[in-house]
CSV table of all heavy atoms in Angstrom, one decimal:
chain,number,residue,atom,x,y,z
A,1,PRO,N,59.2,29.9,-47.5
A,1,PRO,CA,57.8,30.2,-47.2
A,1,PRO,C,56.9,30.2,-48.5
A,1,PRO,O,55.7,29.8,-48.4
A,1,PRO,CB,57.9,31.6,-46.6
A,1,PRO,CG,59.2,31.7,-46.1
A,1,PRO,CD,60.1,30.9,-47.0
A,2,THR,N,57.4,30.6,-49.6
A,2,THR,CA,56.7,30.6,-50.9
A,2,THR,C,56.3,29.2,-51.2
A,2,THR,O,55.2,28.9,-51.7
A,2,THR,CB,57.5,31.3,-52.0
A,2,THR,OG1,57.8,32.6,-51.6
A,2,THR,CG2,56.7,31.3,-53.3
A,3,ILE,N,57.3,28.3,-51.1
A,3,ILE,CA,57.1,26.9,-51.4
A,3,ILE,C,56.0,26.3,-50.5
A,3,ILE,O,55.1,25.5,-50.9
A,3,ILE,CB,58.4,26.1,-51.3
A,3,ILE,CG1,59.3,26.5,-52.4
A,3,ILE,CG2,58.1,24.6,-51.5
A,3,ILE,CD1,60.7,25.9,-52.3
A,4,LEU,N,56.0,26.6,-49.2
A,4,LEU,CA,55.0,26.1,-48.3
A,4,LEU,C,53.6,26.6,-48.6
A,4,LEU,O,52.7,25.8,-48.5
A,4,LEU,CB,55.4,26.5,-46.8
A,4,LEU,CG,56.7,25.9,-46.3
A,4,LEU,CD1,57.0,26.5,-44.9
A,4,LEU,CD2,56.7,24.4,-46.3
A,5,VAL,N,53.5,27.8,-49.0
A,5,VAL,CA,52.2,28.3,-49.4
A,5,VAL,C,51.7,27.6,-50.7
A,5,VAL,O,50.6,27.2,-50.8
A,5,VAL,CB,52.3,29.9,-49.7
A,5,VAL,CG1,51.0,30.4,-50.4
A,5,VAL,CG2,52.6,30.6,-48.4
A,6,GLN,N,52.7,27.4,-51.6
A,6,GLN,CA,52.3,26.7,-52.8
A,6,GLN,C,51.9,25.2,-52.5
A,6,GLN,O,50.9,24.7,-53.1
A,6,GLN,CB,53.5,26.6,-53.8
A,6,GLN,CG,53.1,26.0,-55.1
A,6,GLN,CD,54.3,25.8,-56.0
A,6,GLN,OE1,55.4,25.5,-55.6
A,6,GLN,NE2,54.1,26.0,-57.3
A,7,MET,N,52.5,24.6,-51.5
A,7,MET,CA,52.2,23.2,-51.2
A,7,MET,C,50.7,23.2,-50.6
A,7,MET,O,49.9,22.3,-50.8
A,7,MET,CB,53.1,22.7,-50.2
A,7,MET,CG,54.5,22.3,-50.7
A,7,MET,SD,55.7,21.9,-49.4
A,7,MET,CE,55.0,20.4,-48.8
A,8,LEU,N,50.4,24.3,-49.8
A,8,LEU,CA,49.1,24.4,-49.2
A,8,LEU,C,48.0,24.6,-50.3
A,8,LEU,O,47.0,23.8,-50.3
A,8,LEU,CB,49.0,25.6,-48.3
A,8,LEU,CG,47.7,25.8,-47.5
A,8,LEU,CD1,47.5,24.6,-46.6
A,8,LEU,CD2,47.8,27.1,-46.7
A,9,TYR,N,48.2,25.5,-51.2
A,9,TYR,CA,47.1,25.7,-52.2
A,9,TYR,C,47.1,24.6,-53.3
A,9,TYR,O,46.0,24.3,-53.9
A,9,TYR,CB,47.2,27.1,-52.8
A,9,TYR,CG,48.1,27.4,-54.0
A,9,TYR,CD1,47.9,26.9,-55.2
A,9,TYR,CD2,49.2,28.2,-53.8
A,9,TYR,CE1,48.7,27.1,-56.3
A,9,TYR,CE2,50.1,28.5,-54.9
A,9,TYR,CZ,49.8,27.9,-56.1
A,9,TYR,OH,50.6,28.2,-57.2
A,10,THR,N,48.2,23.9,-53.5
A,10,THR,CA,48.2,22.8,-54.5
A,10,THR,C,47.5,21.5,-53.9
A,10,THR,O,47.0,20.7,-54.6
A,10,THR,CB,49.6,22.4,-55.0
A,10,THR,OG1,50.5,22.2,-53.9
A,10,THR,CG2,50.1,23.5,-55.9
A,11,THR,N,47.6,21.5,-52.5
A,11,THR,CA,46.8,20.4,-51.8
A,11,THR,C,45.3,20.7,-52.0
A,11,THR,O,44.6,19.7,-52.4
A,11,THR,CB,47.1,20.4,-50.3
A,11,THR,OG1,48.5,20.0,-50.1
A,11,THR,CG2,46.3,19.4,-49.6
A,12,PHE,N,44.9,21.9,-51.9
A,12,PHE,CA,43.5,22.2,-52.1
A,12,PHE,C,43.1,22.0,-53.5
A,12,PHE,O,42.1,21.4,-53.8
A,12,PHE,CB,43.3,23.7,-51.7
A,12,PHE,CG,41.9,24.2,-52.0
A,12,PHE,CD1,40.8,23.8,-51.2
A,12,PHE,CD2,41.7,25.1,-53.0
A,12,PHE,CE1,39.6,24.2,-51.5
A,12,PHE,CE2,40.4,25.6,-53.3
A,12,PHE,CZ,39.4,25.1,-52.5
A,13,LEU,N,44.0,22.4,-54.5
A,13,LEU,CA,43.7,22.2,-55.9
A,13,LEU,C,43.7,20.7,-56.2
A,13,LEU,O,42.8,20.2,-57.0
A,13,LEU,CB,44.9,22.8,-56.7
A,13,LEU,CG,44.9,22.5,-58.2
A,13,LEU,CD1,43.6,23.0,-58.9
A,13,LEU,CD2,46.1,23.1,-58.9
A,14,GLY,N,44.5,19.9,-55.6
A,14,GLY,CA,44.5,18.4,-55.8
A,14,GLY,C,43.2,17.8,-55.3
A,14,GLY,O,42.7,16.9,-55.9
A,15,ILE,N,42.7,18.3,-54.2
A,15,ILE,CA,41.3,17.8,-53.7
A,15,ILE,C,40.2,18.2,-54.7
A,15,ILE,O,39.4,17.4,-55.0
A,15,ILE,CB,41.1,18.5,-52.3
A,15,ILE,CG1,42.1,17.9,-51.3
A,15,ILE,CG2,39.6,18.3,-51.9
A,15,ILE,CD1,42.0,18.5,-49.9
A,16,ILE,N,40.2,19.4,-55.2
A,16,ILE,CA,39.3,19.9,-56.2
A,16,ILE,C,39.3,19.0,-57.4
A,16,ILE,O,38.4,18.5,-58.0
A,16,ILE,CB,39.5,21.4,-56.6
A,16,ILE,CG1,39.3,22.3,-55.4
A,16,ILE,CG2,38.6,21.8,-57.8
A,16,ILE,CD1,37.8,22.3,-54.9
A,17,LEU,N,40.5,18.7,-57.9
A,17,LEU,CA,40.8,17.9,-59.1
A,17,LEU,C,40.3,16.5,-58.8
A,17,LEU,O,39.7,15.8,-59.7
A,17,LEU,CB,42.2,17.9,-59.5
A,17,LEU,CG,42.7,19.2,-60.0
A,17,LEU,CD1,44.3,19.2,-60.1
A,17,LEU,CD2,42.2,19.5,-61.4
A,18,GLY,N,40.5,16.0,-57.6
A,18,GLY,CA,40.0,14.7,-57.3
A,18,GLY,C,38.5,14.5,-57.3
A,18,GLY,O,37.9,13.6,-57.8
A,19,ILE,N,37.8,15.6,-56.8
A,19,ILE,CA,36.4,15.7,-56.8
A,19,ILE,C,35.9,15.7,-58.3
A,19,ILE,O,34.9,15.0,-58.6
A,19,ILE,CB,35.9,16.9,-56.1
A,19,ILE,CG1,36.2,16.8,-54.6
A,19,ILE,CG2,34.4,17.2,-56.3
A,19,ILE,CD1,35.9,18.0,-53.7
A,20,ILE,N,36.5,16.5,-59.1
A,20,ILE,CA,36.1,16.6,-60.5
A,20,ILE,C,36.2,15.2,-61.2
A,20,ILE,O,35.3,14.8,-61.9
A,20,ILE,CB,37.0,17.7,-61.3
A,20,ILE,CG1,36.7,19.0,-60.8
A,20,ILE,CG2,36.8,17.5,-62.8
A,20,ILE,CD1,37.6,20.1,-61.3
A,21,TYR,N,37.4,14.5,-60.9
A,21,TYR,CA,37.6,13.2,-61.5
A,21,TYR,C,36.5,12.2,-61.0
A,21,TYR,O,36.0,11.4,-61.8
A,21,TYR,CB,39.0,12.7,-61.2
A,21,TYR,CG,39.3,11.4,-61.9
A,21,TYR,CD1,39.2,11.2,-63.3
A,21,TYR,CD2,39.8,10.4,-61.1
A,21,TYR,CE1,39.5,10.0,-63.9
A,21,TYR,CE2,40.2,9.2,-61.7
A,21,TYR,CZ,40.0,9.0,-63.1
A,21,TYR,OH,40.3,7.8,-63.7
A,22,GLN,N,36.2,12.3,-59.7
A,22,GLN,CA,35.3,11.4,-59.1
A,22,GLN,C,33.9,11.6,-59.7
A,22,GLN,O,33.1,10.7,-60.0
A,22,GLN,CB,35.2,11.6,-57.6
A,22,GLN,CG,34.2,10.8,-56.9
A,22,GLN,CD,34.3,9.3,-57.0
A,22,GLN,OE1,35.4,8.7,-57.4
A,22,GLN,NE2,33.2,8.5,-56.8
A,23,LYS,N,33.5,12.9,-59.9
A,23,LYS,CA,32.2,13.2,-60.4
A,23,LYS,C,32.0,12.9,-61.9
A,23,LYS,O,30.9,12.6,-62.3
A,23,LYS,CB,31.9,14.7,-60.1
A,23,LYS,CG,31.7,15.0,-58.7
A,23,LYS,CD,30.5,14.3,-58.0
A,23,LYS,CE,30.3,14.8,-56.6
A,23,LYS,NZ,29.1,14.1,-55.9
A,24,THR,N,33.1,13.0,-62.6
A,24,THR,CA,33.0,12.9,-64.1
A,24,THR,C,33.4,11.5,-64.6
A,24,THR,O,33.0,11.1,-65.7
A,24,THR,CB,33.8,13.9,-64.9
A,24,THR,OG1,35.2,13.8,-64.5
A,24,THR,CG2,33.3,15.3,-64.4
């Protein structure tokens, strides 16, 4: 369950990082 939660929030983090890369 801990790994699944981590996968969920790292997906969100990956999206944020993608936006940052796209904008900069």
Side-chain angles (χ1 to χ4, degrees):
T2 302
I3 294 175
L4 294 178
V5 170
Q6 186 186 37
M7 289 172 64
L8 183 63
Y9 83 71
T10 50
T11 295
F12 176 71
L13 174 62
I15 291 172
I16 294 295
L17 292 166
I19 292 172
I20 292 173
Y21 184 55
Q22 173 63 21
K23 293 295 183 182
T24 62

